[in-house]
Amino acid sequence: METPAAAVKQPAVKPKELRADVLRRFDDADSGIGGMTRREFLTFCTGVAATMGLGSTAGVRMAEAATAGVRPSVIWLHGQECTGCTESLLRSFHPTVENLILDLISLEYHETLNVGAGKQALEHKHKIMQEKKGQYILVTEGGIPTKDNGVYCKVGGKTQLETVREVAADAAAIIAIGSCASWGGIQSASPNPTGAVGTFEALPGKTVINVPGCPPNPYNFISTVLYLLTFKRAPELDEKNRPRFAYGRLIHENCERRPHFDAGRFALQFGDLGHRQGWCLYKIGCKGPETHANCPAIGFGDVGFGSWPVGTGHPCFGCTEKETAFTKPIHSLAMVKTLTPPNAYPTVDGAKGAAVDPLAVAIVAGLVGAAVGAAAVAARNMDGKPASEDQPPVKTD
Amino acid sequence: MGIDHGMNSARNFASPDATRMEQRVQALVARFHEIAATVRDLPFYNERLAIETIDFGPFDDGILGVLVTPWFMNLMLLPEPPELAVDWNRIGQKRLVQLPRGPRHFRYGGDEVLGVYWLHSLHSPMSAFNDQARVSQVARTTLETLMTPEPAGASAVATAGTPQRPDRRAFLRGRLLSTR
């Protein structure tokens, strides 16, 4: 594996410092991106970079990569799913992610959003697969049934298993969005009648970036895409191939109800005094102590503080964890994870300089972000060129 | 909260309020012993650990140190003078505190006995720890790190080659690290 990514060592410049020198140029541009002015877009990218534990220089790079006019083609396949991931993505308003995703990438095939239909749509997909061979991004949404040769999910006469394998063969990068695509999700819950599996299980030997959640937070997906576009490789991933910037910490560590947990104040049932007072939901089944995700830090729906399950009074049900979601009853007590020390504060005995100082993260994004080190697993080049002279992309296959 | 507090100036235990500070830390420990009795049967309670306070000392207008319990390890900031009236609607709200190492988010917490305190989670649950000595060592080292400004050498990577006023073009092109 390569040495820690150079991106990690970039200076943590606050957006405040960016504004004077950088933003002016972006103001001169006439067109907006995703409903945003260029200034807003640059600020957005800087925020994304900060969320990922990168310096604002990375944000500028992301903005440049995204506005360079080379929109990578994306083929988005739906398997066994509810389309909630797409719905979640389309309902993000800051920025308008549906515009951003359409301007940032070239969405060539998406069964929910296609203008064309039937044979016409399938033909376009095949055309793109030929024309953009080795350059397109494959996004999978939904589980893949494998039982009885995968007959339980077919599109255009082909099973989902066949389609995913066919499209993945020449994809530059593969992203599995949502819990179903990541490991099978609710379809794979016992007794798993269709033999549903996640994308990585259907594609042995391929690197699949998992962005689980039910639904996943759209910003985690967008940030991953921006990172891919900019650095031509995957962000640092954990052992379940989830980007560490988003899935590096336990829900419990960032939870706003944490002071109640510490002080031993627990809701005992829905609607009781403790529940009405906003006390810790552990005793009514909150899986926060065993679930890795950044929900409490970034929330959903862009409506501010508390806009996530625990914030609204429902226990976390562990949607980003294969061993938890759709497996354990909502009311059962969370298992206690054995943790390695979290990495969002300076390492005690780790090598200096191997991890980004989380200050930038804390300041800029308001997150207790995760440190970003070397990319553990990397995607293939999208254009075959290194992202920069000091960051050669890593090939894995 | 000031950002320029060095380890020595900010954490001077010989301050005239030492006795009072000790009383507050003792009250903290006593209260968490009471709380421990109510959570002892829960799965996250690590029987191998005890309640311990690590290196509490004055920090700006409060008292800062690490509180170790069998279910969490937190940085605790006790306001001085004590704020006994807890605003229960504020529980969980965040505030940035400038530690010498840099800003950290602290959450508003409190208790009817102790009053208001601010907490910053370091570890929870505590199942990764097997013995108290190790926990104390981790707590002490973490606090020491947080209370020490970033050494010049460690941040050299981030600052070397960064001009005071970077060339705009180079800046836009992400060449701040051109010396690397």
Side-chain angles (χ1 to χ4, degrees):
Chain A
M1 196 46 65
E2 62 172 356
T3 52
V8 165
K9 298 173 181 174
Q10 285 166 5
V13 184
K14 295 175 220 165
K16 202 165 57 181
E17 294 169 38
L18 273 178
R19 290 205 169 95
D21 278 14
V22 181
L23 293 176
R24 204 170 297 127
R25 176 186 139 186
F26 280 76
D27 279 350
D28 296 338
D30 48 1
S31 69
I33 303 158
M36 292 188 283
T37 64
R38 296 210 168 218
R39 173 185 285 254
E40 286 166 343
F41 184 68
L42 183 64
T43 309
F44 168 72
C45 288
T46 313
V48 166
T51 309
M52 303 180 85
L54 304 173
S56 61
T57 315
V60 177
R61 278 192 204 168
M62 285 179 178
E64 289 196 331
T67 53
V70 187
R71 298 183 306 153
S73 299
V74 171
I75 296 176
W76 189 303
L77 299 176
H78 293 258
Q80 295 174 300
E81 43 84 16
C82 68
T83 317
C85 305
T86 293
E87 296 285 354
S88 166
L89 194 63
L90 297 183
R91 273 155 187 74
S92 294
F93 294 98
H94 183 78
T96 50
V97 178
E98 81 278 17
N99 287 336
L100 179 66
I101 201 76
L102 296 175
D103 291 340
L104 179 69
I105 61 179
S106 177
L107 191 61
E108 302 288 353
Y109 182 84
H110 184 299
E111 283 144 14
T112 307
L113 302 174
N114 275 346
V115 175
K119 193 164 179 285
Q120 186 191 25
L122 288 172
E123 276 175 357
H124 184 68
K125 182 180 77 178
H126 284 290
K127 182 168 151 257
I128 293 302
M129 284 166 60
Q130 296 303 318
E131 286 177 3
K132 306 283 182 183
K133 199 171 179 176
Q135 295 165 38
Y136 58 83
I137 298 176
L138 165 63
V139 180
T140 58
E141 180 179 348
I144 302 168
T146 56
K147 196 173 170 187
D148 302 327
N149 294 318
V151 293
Y152 301 108
C153 183
K154 291 179 97 171
V155 175
K158 282 187 180 173
T159 66
Q160 179 71 356
L161 189 60
E162 289 172 322
T163 308
V164 166
R165 285 183 176 161
E166 184 188 347
V167 181
D170 293 315
I174 305 165
I175 303 176
I177 186 169
S179 301
C180 301
S182 295
W183 73 81
I186 194 164
Q187 288 75 219
S188 67
S190 179
N192 194 356
T194 64
V197 299
T199 308
F200 80 97
E201 290 163 283
L203 299 172
K206 292 272 183 190
T207 298
V208 178
I209 305 169
N210 288 329
V211 185
C214 193
N217 196 297
Y219 296 117
N220 293 339
F221 176 76
I222 289 288
S223 304
T224 304
V225 171
L226 273 172
Y227 191 98
L228 271 171
L229 288 183
T230 309
F231 300 109
K232 318 296 183 200
R233 54 183 173 78
E236 190 196 1
L237 305 175
D238 69 6
E239 70 281 0
K240 292 178 182 171
N241 270 16
R242 303 175 294 192
R244 256 190 219 282
F245 73 88
Y247 301 93
R249 302 286 304 264
L250 285 175
I251 294 253
H252 175 67
E253 291 181 84
N254 285 327
C255 182
E256 64 246 31
R257 296 186 185 225
R258 179 62 190 282
H260 292 302
F261 171 89
D262 290 353
R265 293 185 292 261
F266 299 98
L268 300 178
Q269 59 179 328
F270 287 96
D272 73 358
L273 177 72
H275 191 243
R276 294 203 302 274
Q277 300 286 323
W279 290 1
C280 176
L281 303 171
Y282 176 80
K283 287 191 178 178
I284 52 176
C286 183
K287 306 297 188 295
E290 59 176 299
T291 304
H292 293 83
N294 55 359
C295 308
I298 64 177
F300 285 82
D302 302 305
V303 292
F305 183 73
S307 59
W308 65 294
V310 171
T312 58
H314 194 282
C316 165
F317 85 104
C319 71
T320 63
E321 300 288 347
K322 181 180 181 180
E323 298 79 14
T324 308
F326 317 117
T327 304
K328 291 183 182 170
I330 285 177
H331 62 268
S332 69
L333 283 188
M335 289 290 290
V336 173
K337 283 271 194 191
T338 299
L339 283 177
T340 50
N343 54 6
Y345 52 85
T347 51
V348 174
D349 22 38
K352 293 282 183 222
V356 70
D357 192 301
L359 302 198
V361 184
I363 300 168
V364 183
L367 300 179
V368 187
V372 175
V377 186
R380 282 201 292 170
N381 290 347
M382 271 180 286
D383 59 1
K385 290 179 210 151
S388 71
E389 55 269 25
D390 53 4
Q391 285 182 62
V394 181
K395 297 215 174 201
T396 54
D397 45 351
Chain B
M1 292 284 170
I3 198 169
D4 55 348
H5 283 275
M7 178 100 181
N8 298 326
S9 62
R11 305 184 58 73
N12 180 4
F13 281 82
S15 88
D17 292 322
T19 315
R20 174 192 174 77
M21 205 163 57
E22 195 157 311
Q23 283 168 353
R24 292 205 64 193
V25 172
Q26 278 171 6
L28 187 71
V29 172
R31 178 59 186 148
F32 273 90
H33 271 294
E34 288 172 16
I35 294 170
T38 70
V39 298
R40 182 157 286 145
D41 297 334
L42 293 169
F44 56 74
Y45 190 93
N46 186 342
E47 292 280 358
R48 289 164 295 194
L49 304 182
I51 293 172
E52 186 182 355
T53 51
I54 309 282
D55 294 349
F56 271 81
F59 182 79
D60 274 347
D61 55 352
I63 302 170
L64 180 76
V66 178
L67 175 64
V68 171
T69 71
W71 65 101
F72 68 84
M73 181 200 292
N74 285 349
L75 273 184
M76 300 288 270
L77 180 59
L78 315 176
E80 185 64 35
E83 296 170 26
L84 286 175
V86 178
D87 180 353
W88 297 102
N89 290 325
R90 286 184 69 194
I91 297 278
Q93 286 184 5
K94 285 193 283 194
R95 142 191 172 201
L96 266 185
V97 174
Q98 298 286 351
L99 301 180
R101 190 60 151 215
R104 292 293 185 275
H105 271 122
F106 279 67
R107 286 194 185 275
Y108 183 96
D111 178 275
E112 56 271 26
V113 176
L114 295 168
V116 175
Y117 51 78
W118 293 84
L119 58 102
H120 173 87
S121 172
L122 297 178
H123 292 274
S124 181
M126 298 291 281
S127 43
F129 296 101
N130 290 320
D131 65 277
Q132 191 68 24
R134 171 70 182 150
V135 174
S136 310
Q137 185 210 335
V138 168
R140 198 158 278 127
T141 322
T142 305
L143 183 62
E144 199 178 305
T145 308
L146 288 169
M147 298 308 287
T148 314
E150 183 99 20
S155 59
V157 174
T159 50
T162 306
Q164 287 298 312
R165 291 187 57 80
D167 173 70
R168 184 183 299 180
R169 184 172 296 270
F171 190 67
L172 279 164
R173 291 178 185 282
R175 297 263 169 75
L176 284 179
L177 300 177
S178 54
T179 57
R180 290 188 71 250

